Amino acid sequence: MDFNDTSEEAVFRAEARAFLAANAELKAGARPVLRQSGVDAEAVKRCRAWQAKKDDAGFAGLTWPKRFGGREASPILQVIYNQEEDDFVVPRGLYEIGLGMCIPTMMTYATPEQLDRYVRPALRGEEVWCQLFSEPAGGSDLAALRTRAERDGDDWVINGQKIWTSGAHLSDFGIIVVRTDPNVPKHEGLTFFFLDMKSPGIEIRPIHQMSGARHFNEVFFTDVRVPDSQRLGAVGQGWKVSLTTLMNERLAVGDVQRPEVDDLVELSRKVRINGKPAIRNGAVREKIAEWHARSQGLKFTRFRTMTALSKGETPGPENSIHKLVNASKLQDIASYGLDLMGAGGLVVDDDLAEAYAMFQAALLSSPSSRIAGGSDEILRNIIAERVLGLPSDIRADKGKPFNQVPTGRR
Amino acid sequence: MDFNDTSEEAVFRAEARAFLAANAELKAGARPVLRQSGVDAEAVKRCRAWQAKKDDAGFAGLTWPKRFGGREASPILQVIYNQEEDDFVVPRGLYEIGLGMCIPTMMTYATPEQLDRYVRPALRGEEVWCQLFSEPAGGSDLAALRTRAERDGDDWVINGQKIWTSGAHLSDFGIIVVRTDPNVPKHEGLTFFFLDMKSPGIEIRPIHQMSGARHFNEVFFTDVRVPDSQRLGAVGQGWKVSLTTLMNERLAVGDVQRPEVDDLVELSRKVRINGKPAIRNGAVREKIAEWHARSQGLKFTRFRTMTALSKGETPGPENSIHKLVNASKLQDIASYGLDLMGAGGLVVDDDLAEAYAMFQAALLSSPSSRIAGGSDEILRNIIAERVLGLPSDIRADKGKPFNQVPTGRR
Amino acid sequence: MNFDFSDDLKQLRDQSRRFLTERCTPAVVRRSLDGEEAYAAGLWREIADMGWIGAAIPEEFGGAGLGYEGLCVLAEEMGRAVAPVPFASSAYLAAEAILTAGSDAQRREYLPKLADGSAIGCFALSEGNGNPEPGTIHARVVGGRLSGVKWPVADGGIADIAVVVACDEHRQPGLFVADLAGVRRRDLRTLDPTRNQARLDFDGLPVQALGSGGWGSVQRVLDRAAILFAFEQVGGADACLQMAREYAQERFAFGRPIGSFQAIKHKLADMYVALELARSNAYYGAWALGADATDLPLAAATARVSATEAFHLASKENIQTHGGIGFTWAVDCHLFYRRSKQLGLAIGSAPFWKDRLVDLLETRNAA
Amino acid sequence: MNFDFSDDLKQLRDQSRRFLTERCTPAVVRRSLDGEEAYAAGLWREIADMGWIGAAIPEEFGGAGLGYEGLCVLAEEMGRAVAPVPFASSAYLAAEAILTAGSDAQRREYLPKLADGSAIGCFALSEGNGNPEPGTIHARVVGGRLSGVKWPVADGGIADIAVVVACDEHRQPGLFVADLAGVRRRDLRTLDPTRNQARLDFDGLPVQALGSGGWGSVQRVLDRAAILFAFEQVGGADACLQMAREYAQERFAFGRPIGSFQAIKHKLADMYVALELARSNAYYGAWALGADATDLPLAAATARVSATEAFHLASKENIQTHGGIGFTWAVDCHLFYRRSKQLGLAIGSAPFWKDRLVDLLETRNAA
């Protein structure tokens, strides 16, 4: 067990630090970047420029094959890069899904020609990708999707609706899973494609979230044509392909969302209880200690995963732990921070709100963190069934043709 | 809404107080009675004498019909009596099941002659009753019981095993539900009886609990004969009869188990954190406040139930709330109290342990409170399904003949 | 002993619930959410005409004289409807402060206007972050004139009359009352735009002292209001539980209603438990308020602690039960989540009331 | 960077697990539970012979020189097996105190005996209720002689050597070491009879000072021990989770395994989450211990807080998962529940370590 860098790691860390110092602003003292609102045109420009810079310096696809401009580096170097980048303000949020989920899926299923065409532009940030899985009727039951594709000559014709698509309005391409046979059980009738998001028949509407943000979209498909050559995996094997994508999702490092424990510590020094700084109060201290232990536990759990990865092991469902713990922690820290502020905690005006109103922002955004990308309940199911090996729940839809599964009024 | 006694209530309260003052010791200052160990012969004598005294004074069956020595009083008077009795040390634990569950079931299903024979001796404490429902294979799935009864002339012959029978070894009579037809779905093949606990073929073995207590028993039946005249309800209707009993169980007032919040307050004044009494620490105060709010909430919820009862309404499954909240609260208070004591909290020796070692005793007894008489999980199911009307879980055993339902290795 | 509302009050509850279901629809609430109106003025007019604002104000001061239990019943329904009106500020705080601390002349001057809704009242306590403690009060009255800054003041942007907590010439905090005409105000952006919040800058405003009760009179107003807030929170929590329950019955996943899964069942059972405990504690508070019982402060703290917990839990787990659509702007879950925090932070947040509860418990046990 | 144990240490883990599964069966543990023996003396002998007690003691003082990571690995297995031996007292506390605070002569005198198991060590800190704070220490050494009362002292009834926390002639608390021959002792009844606990009455026992580090040297021993305790707690929690998991797979209700119900699934998932967080924090502690890192105290407090929570949760919910038989004497669930509380209360309970964690966090952030 060793927390110190090897000499190779130390060299790499210095290199990364130098690159970041030359090209980005240090976070310390800067206003925290809250992922509140959608990415606007200005932000897109910044993201694109930054991604190109990273690629030029060889930091964009650290663990990727060299033929795509990667370094084929150990996942530990990725951890080191992330640690260093975490000290700087860098524009983010546009490429995570594409590089973290879409392109890895392409690498497994697309043809060499397709990879030659799509991987580099994605890594350089010239083309943006999105992922079209969720549907209104599906929710936690992802495979219960209804968007259908029918074969027509060399094409497939897609009709239906997707939802919760991050960045659809900014994307050039998307990966999509659709139902090609409703007469077989739900997992068996799905097929997976990638498509051009500018195709005729695609309509994109942003979803207004309770936090005010508009990250997500509804995407409507009306007779959208996709060539069969853009199919990924066999007809009817769409679920299997989706699982590849989702496994990569679990590995994606979520940003540490603010406020973190240190923000609460800082707040507790400023606000007062019975005339003394709140941090002198036992109740406040107990909560800080518990949340700190959880944050550190997650941090070191990720280190354990990265160590396993660097030994060639495959990360599994145990990575569900991160979002499960973080999302509720965020909601609880946000709520508690406001309690410490008292009535003043209600206010979000820039000149009056404490800590850039990050506690208030998190109160409103954290409910989506507990749901999007797998609800708390689904993540506990995954841990119970796939990590602990407990038997699955009784399935009302098991073996039933999809079009005969009961559906509700909502 | 009125918390003050009416004049009738005030008169009754004074009467109850006078009776108690004349016949029992005040709790204040006395060593708390922990329901740790089984009831021994001495305790039985005390219980019996006290019950007879209560009956003589007309406090034993306050709400019961006059023909059985009751007063047909409003449930509010019962609350008042309980409030007053709560200030005194009285011997308890022998008649609760008989008077709270068995005799009320008899009142619904037994013949007038049987009631004439059994009710008065039970109320006077001359005969003790127990309830024989649970079985090793059943657990939360109470109706999955396997003890069978077969018809033989005017008798039924019972074979099998019951478990978790409180006070079986002290009981004169018992009520029992058994399987009379294993070829029909589980709820349909049950029949209900009462029987003489001294019948040949009954063997009783105490269960040693982790707390050291031996409240419960295993009861083995080998060719035990029960006359058909002691059947309660029709053949095959045993489940319906059991539900009457269980509804009465929910109404039974559980003793407030020590340590209660006030015990924690007292402890927090004695033990010190950073040189000051623990009660000055914010973390301790927060926990006290939360548990106090929960205790009071339960107390007033019971008052609401009693008010509804006094208006002739039937108490329902919402009464599951009491045990659900109390059991975990007890475990949490016990554990937290020990944390405040630090290493000294380990010790249970009489001369060294704080507060008569009641925190330690509760740590070891509370796990059974969270299970016996309906586990936390079953109580939440009851609230969800029977109070909130949520749909039942999918039943793997639904409609299946009992002898074809899958069973596990334990 | 009788631990339930009278039939008359149950009738009031049913009537007010019907009325608010009809007139205080989500569309009405959303007009305030979207900033189209600072409060639902039309609804406020109707509420005033029915005598609700003055429910607990004696008839001699222009109230309906229904007593505190009546006001509690109405408070619960206001919470259920997420009503975008200054009911709490006018009825639980301003009117109560004047009624409990004011002189007869002050009562005659202010209460009829508050009761009939022709004036809106507010309670100017906070000066930024922190909970209600004497040491946080820097506003000061010298020679009958008030200087200082108060924020956030609920309904401060729409109020005509303010009860202000400020220090007197001896730096002792206490209650004052004033007309707000001409005061510099600024509406604030907050977590719950369905309730107006403002910053008030006082610069020599003429005020009258409300009695000479010092911080005790402030705390007395807070204690009494805490019980009414608890009812409003119970109403909100109940509405969330009902929303979650209906959704769980109708929404299917994996071929069955989501309410048939234990994860959802047990979540809703926990919401129910918290709600019932809060309701029972609120009921005791209602009795203590009506009877002006000696343990009113402890009853109030207990009710407040339970109700804040119940509404917070119910509003966040209602969103969770709804899944994805639960966190959209279009679905009403967030109205309750916002209101839950607004009510929970007003008049002192949970840590404040928990600490006070233990203070009172210590005093009681020492007695 | 490498955040896993080496292959050698994994081998040690597997070997020690196999050994303890075979030799430290529930029947062995129950001999101590039922009071038949104060500790498993035979097992202790074998453990000593394998060099486990002295795993982290340098070879020059008679240890195995495996380093701290080795001792961490063994601690986890001791927790998994609920081992009824004075391993923590001898290895994590007495030997560590002597090693970190003692003179070379003291090390040479005591460590070889502790390492080979010919002497059992204990750590006499507590004087009744309360957590480890300088103000709780009344035992006093005057003229090299110790007077005072210590209880409970883990393994105090079976120990040969004690490291004692006592005040010196200037009333400054610090560490002392002594042979216990002739000391008046009384075995105590406790929540966890599988570990000896005693009251020691000192009445002029000759002692030697262990360095002159004052309370700092006491806290240093506690910090280092906290990491080893955390591993033992992680081992216990893991065993509980495995027990619950197996039972949930095999026990049926309503015609299906209880592990197929979400109530059980999610309970076990929560146990898993707590365990994994605790394990990761313990791993960081192991590294800090081996590297004597500057943030060892914070790493120790963090590991201790997580591990105490994880074992408490796992041991109580393991009983709950088992249902009725879970709270019988005959089934092993309660062995872990008792041990969980014993380990959780030793060397300072959760509130103590949470408070210390924040102290250290404040110091770090201020730096």
Side-chain angles (χ1 to χ4, degrees):
Chain A
M1 217 174 275
D2 194 352
F3 262 78
N4 298 320
D5 288 341
T6 62
S7 59
E8 182 209 4
E9 287 165 359
V11 167
F12 175 78
R13 190 185 292 278
E15 183 197 343
R17 188 90 190 173
F19 163 71
L20 287 159
N23 292 286
E25 183 197 357
L26 265 172
K27 255 184 203 168
R31 187 187 173 107
V33 180
L34 301 174
R35 298 181 59 182
Q36 263 309 307
S37 44
V39 179
D40 61 15
E42 263 315 299
V44 168
K45 240 189 247 169
R46 283 196 305 273
C47 286
R48 185 177 281 245
W50 175 247
Q51 187 68 19
K53 241 179 223 167
K54 263 176 86 166
D55 187 54
D56 288 341
F59 292 108
L62 274 178
T63 60
W64 284 20
K66 290 186 179 164
R67 65 177 277 235
F68 299 126
R71 290 201 195 192
E72 297 180 7
S74 149
I76 294 290
L77 296 197
Q78 185 69 59
V79 173
I80 291 173
Y81 178 81
N82 293 349
Q83 286 176 337
E84 295 303 317
E85 197 187 78
D86 207 39
D87 287 346
F88 293 85
V89 182
V90 297
R92 276 188 169 181
L94 193 56
Y95 302 111
E96 281 157 8
I97 287 169
L99 301 180
M101 301 173 72
C102 303
I103 299 297
T105 307
M106 293 284 284
M107 284 185 184
T108 312
Y109 290 99
T111 65
E113 296 71 29
Q114 288 168 334
L115 295 180
D116 285 341
R117 158 66 187 84
Y118 293 107
V119 175
R120 282 294 304 150
L123 190 60
R124 250 196 108 58
E126 289 157 3
E127 289 173 354
V128 180
W129 286 68
C130 65
Q131 180 237 45
L132 300 142
F133 281 17
S134 293
E135 299 195 6
S140 291
D141 187 7
L142 188 57
L145 55 92
R146 298 180 189 173
T147 296
R148 61 192 190 283
E150 280 159 6
R151 186 76 190 237
D152 181 35
D154 282 345
D155 289 346
W156 293 81
V157 180
I158 301 179
N159 280 284
Q161 182 196 348
K162 293 288 178 180
I163 196 170
W164 311 123
T165 314
S166 303
H169 55 303
L170 303 167
S171 291
D172 301 289
F173 300 96
I175 55 175
I176 187 167
V177 58
V178 292
R179 187 160 305 279
T180 45
D181 185 353
N183 299 303
V184 296
K186 69 180 179 187
H187 292 110
E188 297 167 25
L190 305 176
T191 304
F192 203 105
F193 299 91
F194 72 89
L195 50 67
D196 187 335
M197 288 299 288
K198 308 288 184 271
S199 306
I202 294 183
E203 190 200 339
I204 296 168
R205 293 185 207 153
I207 299 172
H208 192 185
Q209 289 168 238
M210 57 176 274
S211 63
R214 294 170 194 269
H215 298 140
F216 298 114
N217 299 276
E218 293 181 288
V219 183
F220 296 86
F221 294 83
T222 312
D223 294 333
V224 175
R225 301 190 78 87
V226 180
D228 187 58
S229 60
Q230 293 181 196
R231 179 164 42 75
L232 297 174
V235 174
Q237 294 289 304
W239 185 245
K240 196 184 145 207
V241 183
S242 305
L243 291 181
T244 314
T245 313
L246 295 173
M247 196 167 72
N248 282 296
E249 179 175 27
R250 271 199 302 270
L251 248 193
V253 183
D255 276 338
V256 173
Q257 288 178 286
R258 304 277 296 269
E260 243 292 356
V261 185
D262 283 344
D263 296 309
L264 185 63
V265 169
E266 200 172 323
L267 176 70
S268 307
R269 284 194 172 128
K270 284 189 196 158
V271 298
R272 300 177 89 80
I273 294 177
N274 293 326
K276 279 184 285 192
I279 200 165
R280 301 261 59 79
N281 183 279
V284 178
R285 295 171 77 78
E286 184 165 285
K287 290 201 169 60
I288 288 173
E290 288 168 4
W291 284 320
H292 173 80
R294 235 166 280 174
S295 290
Q296 293 297 102
L298 281 184
K299 175 175 154 188
F300 298 129
T301 298
R302 184 162 294 284
F303 285 1
R304 285 168 59 206
T305 303
M306 290 301 156
T307 299
L309 266 177
S310 71
K311 294 180 179 170
E313 294 171 30
T314 311
E318 65 277 5
N319 285 294
S320 303
I321 195 174
H322 293 277
K323 196 177 88 76
L324 177 60
V325 173
N326 263 330
S328 281
K329 179 158 66 67
L330 182 67
Q331 187 170 39
D332 293 344
I333 289 179
S335 180
Y336 191 65
L338 297 177
D339 286 351
L340 293 183
M341 295 179 205
L346 284 171
V347 179
V348 299
D349 284 287
D350 249 23
D351 58 332
L352 296 175
E354 198 69 57
Y356 309 104
M358 71 167 101
F359 287 84
Q360 290 86 348
L363 189 84
L364 296 179
S365 67
S366 55
S368 87
S369 302
R370 289 182 55 202
I371 294 166
S375 68
D376 291 356
E377 291 74 22
I378 291 293
L379 297 177
R380 287 198 181 89
N381 274 355
I382 288 173
I383 290 172
E385 295 181 13
R386 309 241 286 276
V387 182
L388 300 177
L390 293 174
S392 70
D393 206 337
I394 293 191
R395 295 287 295 270
D397 55 355
K398 192 167 186 177
K400 280 202 185 133
F402 179 69
N403 51 18
Q404 288 169 34
V405 172
T407 57
R409 280 193 284 151
R410 308 228 201 183
Chain B
M1 215 173 277
D2 194 352
F3 261 78
N4 297 321
D5 288 341
T6 62
S7 58
E8 182 209 3
E9 287 165 359
V11 167
F12 175 80
R13 190 185 294 276
E15 183 196 341
R17 187 89 191 175
F19 164 72
L20 288 159
N23 293 286
E25 183 195 358
L26 265 173
K27 255 183 203 169
R31 186 187 174 109
V33 180
L34 301 174
R35 298 182 59 182
Q36 263 309 306
S37 44
V39 180
D40 61 14
E42 261 316 298
V44 168
K45 239 188 250 170
R46 282 197 304 275
C47 286
R48 185 178 282 246
W50 175 247
Q51 187 69 20
K53 240 181 223 168
K54 263 176 87 165
D55 186 53
D56 288 342
F59 292 108
L62 274 178
T63 60
W64 283 19
K66 289 186 181 166
R67 64 176 276 233
F68 298 127
R71 291 202 194 191
E72 298 181 5
S74 148
I76 294 290
L77 296 197
Q78 184 69 58
V79 174
I80 291 173
Y81 178 80
N82 292 349
Q83 287 176 336
E84 295 303 317
E85 197 188 78
D86 207 40
D87 287 346
F88 292 85
V89 182
V90 297
R92 277 189 170 181
L94 193 56
Y95 302 112
E96 281 158 7
I97 286 169
L99 301 181
M101 301 173 72
C102 304
I103 300 297
T105 307
M106 292 284 284
M107 285 186 186
T108 311
Y109 289 98
T111 64
E113 295 72 30
Q114 288 169 333
L115 295 180
D116 285 341
R117 158 68 188 83
Y118 293 107
V119 176
R120 281 294 305 153
L123 191 60
R124 251 198 107 59
E126 289 157 4
E127 289 173 354
V128 180
W129 286 67
C130 66
Q131 179 237 44
L132 300 143
F133 281 16
S134 293
E135 299 195 7
S140 290
D141 186 6
L142 188 57
L145 56 92
R146 297 179 189 173
T147 296
R148 61 193 189 283
E150 280 158 8
R151 186 75 191 237
D152 181 33
D154 282 346
D155 288 348
W156 293 80
V157 181
I158 300 180
N159 280 283
Q161 182 196 347
K162 294 288 177 180
I163 197 170
W164 310 122
T165 312
S166 302
H169 54 304
L170 303 167
S171 291
D172 301 288
F173 300 95
I175 54 175
I176 187 168
V177 58
V178 292
R179 187 161 306 279
T180 45
D181 185 354
N183 300 303
V184 295
K186 70 179 178 188
H187 291 110
E188 296 167 26
L190 305 176
T191 304
F192 202 105
F193 299 92
F194 72 90
L195 50 68
D196 186 335
M197 289 299 289
K198 309 288 184 271
S199 306
I202 294 183
E203 189 199 339
I204 297 167
R205 293 185 206 152
I207 300 172
H208 191 184
Q209 289 168 236
M210 58 177 273
S211 63
R214 294 172 194 268
H215 297 142
F216 298 113
N217 299 278
E218 293 182 289
V219 183
F220 297 85
F221 293 83
T222 312
D223 293 333
V224 176
R225 301 189 78 87
V226 181
D228 187 59
S229 59
Q230 292 181 198
R231 177 164 43 76
L232 297 174
V235 174
Q237 293 291 304
W239 184 245
K240 198 186 143 205
V241 183
S242 305
L243 292 181
T244 314
T245 313
L246 295 172
M247 196 167 72
N248 282 298
E249 179 176 27
R250 271 199 303 271
L251 248 193
V253 184
D255 275 337
V256 172
Q257 288 179 283
R258 305 278 296 268
E260 242 292 357
V261 183
D262 284 344
D263 296 308
L264 184 63
V265 170
E266 200 172 323
L267 176 71
S268 307
R269 285 194 172 130
K270 284 189 196 158
V271 297
R272 300 177 89 79
I273 294 178
N274 292 326
K276 278 185 286 192
I279 199 166
R280 302 261 58 79
N281 183 281
V284 178
R285 296 172 76 78
E286 183 165 287
K287 290 202 170 58
I288 288 173
E290 288 168 4
W291 283 320
H292 172 80
R294 235 166 280 173
S295 291
Q296 293 297 102
L298 281 184
K299 175 174 153 189
F300 298 130
T301 298
R302 185 163 291 285
F303 284 0
R304 285 168 59 206
T305 303
M306 290 301 155
T307 299
L309 265 177
S310 70
K311 293 180 180 171
E313 293 170 30
T314 311
E318 65 277 7
N319 285 295
S320 303
I321 193 175
H322 291 277
K323 195 177 90 76
L324 177 60
V325 174
N326 263 330
S328 281
K329 179 159 65 68
L330 182 68
Q331 187 170 40
D332 293 345
I333 289 179
S335 180
Y336 191 66
L338 297 177
D339 286 351
L340 293 183
M341 294 179 206
L346 284 171
V347 178
V348 299
D349 283 286
D350 248 23
D351 59 330
L352 296 175
E354 198 68 56
Y356 309 102
M358 70 167 103
F359 287 85
Q360 290 86 348
L363 189 84
L364 295 180
S365 67
S366 54
S368 86
S369 302
R370 288 181 57 201
I371 294 165
S375 68
D376 292 357
E377 291 74 21
I378 290 294
L379 297 177
R380 286 198 181 88
N381 274 354
I382 288 173
I383 290 172
E385 295 181 12
R386 308 242 287 275
V387 182
L388 300 177
L390 293 174
S392 70
D393 206 337
I394 292 191
R395 295 287 295 269
D397 55 355
K398 192 167 185 177
K400 279 200 187 136
F402 179 69
N403 51 17
Q404 288 170 36
V405 172
T407 57
R409 280 193 285 153
R410 306 226 202 186
Chain C
M1 191 191 304
N2 174 16
F3 203 41
D4 198 0
F5 286 112
S6 68
D7 289 345
D8 280 0
L9 288 170
K10 284 181 183 165
Q11 210 175 348
L12 175 66
R13 184 184 63 199
D14 295 346
Q15 282 167 353
S16 56
R17 190 175 303 178
R18 268 199 305 277
F19 172 83
L20 289 167
T21 306
E22 213 172 88
R23 304 295 172 84
C24 185
T25 59
V28 170
V29 180
R30 282 170 180 274
R31 283 209 293 274
S32 295
L33 179 72
D34 295 334
E36 292 169 30
E37 55 185 19
Y39 72 109
L43 179 65
W44 181 244
R45 195 63 266 149
E46 292 188 287
I47 284 172
D49 290 346
M50 290 185 294
W52 291 5
I53 306 168
I57 297 177
E59 289 172 84
E60 56 172 315
F61 302 120
L66 286 175
Y68 285 100
E69 289 185 31
L71 189 56
C72 288
V73 162
L74 293 168
E76 181 176 341
E77 299 312 316
M78 291 291 172
R80 192 183 306 277
V82 212
V85 292
F87 195 71
S89 299
S90 262
Y92 318 160
L93 290 164
E96 273 296 297
I98 294 165
L99 190 60
T100 55
S103 67
D104 225 50
Q106 287 166 331
R107 292 173 180 169
R108 283 188 204 292
E109 181 181 353
Y110 291 109
L111 293 179
K113 290 194 272 190
L114 291 171
D116 72 7
S118 58
I120 290 174
C122 69
F123 188 65
L125 167 63
S126 297
E127 302 182 13
N129 291 328
N131 271 310
E133 291 161 13
T136 63
I137 307 300
H138 301 99
R140 194 148 174 233
V141 175
V142 177
R145 288 178 176 273
L146 168 67
S147 300
V149 180
K150 291 283 178 180
W151 69 272
V153 179
D155 304 304
I158 58 173
D160 306 290
I161 296 164
V163 172
V164 182
V165 180
C167 293
D168 64 15
E169 284 165 11
H170 312 291
R171 300 201 180 273
Q172 292 307 308
L175 294 168
F176 297 85
V177 62
D179 285 306
L180 284 175
V183 168
R184 192 144 51 93
R185 324 184 190 190
R186 166 185 151 193
D187 284 346
L188 301 176
R189 289 173 53 229
T190 74
L191 283 174
D192 180 12
T194 69
R195 291 294 311 281
N196 176 267
Q197 302 278 350
R199 169 179 158 141
L200 306 188
D201 285 69
F202 297 106
D203 188 15
L205 182 75
V207 297
Q208 301 174 29
L210 272 179
S212 56
W215 186 258
S217 65
V218 177
Q219 188 60 60
R220 184 167 157 80
V221 171
L222 293 176
D223 285 346
R224 300 173 68 84
I227 295 165
L228 296 156
F229 271 85
F231 271 94
E232 200 165 319
Q233 291 170 307
V234 162
D238 199 354
C240 290
L241 177 58
Q242 295 316 320
M243 271 181 86
R245 189 175 151 266
E246 279 166 32
Y247 190 78
Q249 287 168 325
E250 294 179 0
R251 169 82 177 179
F252 276 52
F254 305 99
R256 50 194 276 202
I258 62 168
S260 71
F261 289 103
Q262 286 185 334
I264 298 295
K265 281 187 183 178
H266 292 193
K267 183 191 295 301
L268 268 59
D270 288 341
M271 288 159 69
Y272 171 83
V273 168
L275 171 62
E276 283 305 289
L277 298 181
R279 179 181 293 284
S280 297
N281 282 328
Y283 276 27
Y284 185 70
W287 172 79
L289 200 53
D292 206 8
T294 51
D295 64 347
L296 184 145
L298 182 55
T302 307
R304 172 75 172 160
V305 166
S306 284
T308 299
E309 182 186 334
F311 196 11
H312 178 61
L313 178 73
S315 69
K316 77 191 176 79
E317 297 308 324
N318 179 37
I319 297 175
Q320 186 70 11
T321 303
H322 276 72
I325 65 158
F327 63 81
T328 61
W329 189 269
V331 168
D332 295 331
C333 299
H334 68 115
L335 303 180
F336 291 93
Y337 186 66
R338 293 169 186 277
R339 181 60 63 87
S340 161
K341 207 65 199 171
Q342 188 268 317
L343 292 173
L345 295 182
I347 66 161
S349 61
F352 170 80
W353 286 100
K354 288 178 188 170
D355 195 62
R356 176 160 172 77
L357 189 159
V358 181
D359 275 344
L360 295 162
L361 212 52
E362 288 186 274
T363 313
R364 187 196 68 178
N365 290 8
Chain D
M1 189 192 305
N2 173 15
F3 203 41
D4 198 0
F5 286 113
S6 68
D7 288 343
D8 280 359
L9 288 170
K10 284 181 184 166
Q11 211 175 347
L12 175 66
R13 184 185 62 199
D14 295 345
Q15 282 167 353
S16 55
R17 191 174 305 179
R18 267 199 307 275
F19 172 82
L20 289 166
T21 305
E22 214 172 89
R23 303 294 172 86
C24 185
T25 59
V28 170
V29 179
R30 281 170 181 274
R31 283 210 293 274
S32 295
L33 179 72
D34 295 335
E36 292 169 30
E37 55 185 19
Y39 71 109
L43 178 66
W44 181 243
R45 194 62 266 148
E46 292 188 288
I47 284 172
D49 290 346
M50 289 184 294
W52 292 6
I53 307 168
I57 297 177
E59 289 171 84
E60 58 172 316
F61 302 121
L66 286 176
Y68 285 101
E69 288 184 32
L71 190 55
C72 289
V73 162
L74 293 168
E76 180 177 340
E77 299 312 315
M78 290 291 173
R80 192 184 306 278
V82 212
V85 291
F87 195 71
S89 299
S90 262
Y92 318 160
L93 289 164
E96 274 297 297
I98 294 164
L99 191 60
T100 56
S103 66
D104 225 50
Q106 288 166 332
R107 292 173 181 169
R108 283 188 204 293
E109 180 180 355
Y110 290 109
L111 292 179
K113 291 194 273 190
L114 290 172
D116 72 9
S118 59
I120 290 174
C122 68
F123 188 65
L125 168 63
S126 296
E127 302 182 12
N129 291 328
N131 272 309
E133 293 161 14
T136 63
I137 306 301
H138 300 101
R140 195 150 173 230
V141 176
V142 177
R145 291 183 171 270
L146 168 68
S147 300
V149 180
K150 291 282 179 183
W151 69 271
V153 178
D155 303 305
I158 57 175
D160 306 289
I161 296 165
V163 171
V164 183
V165 179
C167 293
D168 63 16
E169 285 167 10
H170 312 291
R171 300 200 179 274
Q172 292 306 308
L175 294 168
F176 297 84
V177 64
D179 285 306
L180 284 175
V183 168
R184 191 146 51 91
R185 322 183 191 190
R186 164 185 152 194
D187 284 346
L188 301 176
R189 290 174 52 230
T190 74
L191 283 174
D192 181 12
T194 68
R195 290 296 310 285
N196 176 267
Q197 302 279 350
R199 170 180 158 141
L200 305 188
D201 284 68
F202 298 107
D203 187 16
L205 183 75
V207 297
Q208 301 174 29
L210 272 178
S212 55
W215 187 257
S217 66
V218 177
Q219 187 61 59
R220 185 168 155 80
V221 172
L222 294 176
D223 286 345
R224 299 172 68 84
I227 294 164
L228 296 157
F229 272 85
F231 271 94
E232 200 166 318
Q233 291 170 306
V234 162
D238 200 353
C240 290
L241 177 58
Q242 295 316 320
M243 271 182 86
R245 189 175 151 266
E246 278 166 33
Y247 190 78
Q249 286 168 325
E250 293 179 3
R251 168 81 178 179
F252 276 53
F254 305 99
R256 50 194 276 202
I258 63 168
S260 72
F261 289 102
Q262 286 186 334
I264 299 295
K265 281 187 183 177
H266 291 193
K267 183 190 296 299
L268 268 60
D270 288 342
M271 288 159 69
Y272 171 82
V273 168
L275 171 62
E276 283 305 290
L277 298 182
R279 179 181 292 284
S280 296
N281 283 328
Y283 276 29
Y284 185 71
W287 172 78
L289 200 52
D292 205 8
T294 51
D295 64 347
L296 184 145
L298 181 55
T302 306
R304 171 75 172 158
V305 166
S306 284
T308 300
E309 182 186 332
F311 197 9
H312 178 62
L313 177 74
S315 69
K316 76 190 177 81
E317 298 308 324
N318 180 36
I319 298 175
Q320 185 71 11
T321 303
H322 276 73
I325 66 158
F327 62 81
T328 61
W329 190 269
V331 167
D332 295 331
C333 298
H334 68 116
L335 303 181
F336 292 93
Y337 186 66
R338 293 170 187 278
R339 181 60 64 88
S340 162
K341 207 67 200 174
Q342 189 267 318
L343 291 173
L345 295 182
I347 66 160
S349 61
F352 170 81
W353 286 100
K354 288 177 187 170
D355 195 60
R356 176 158 172 79
L357 189 159
V358 181
D359 275 344
L360 295 161
L361 212 52
E362 288 185 274
T363 312
R364 187 195 68 179
N365 290 7

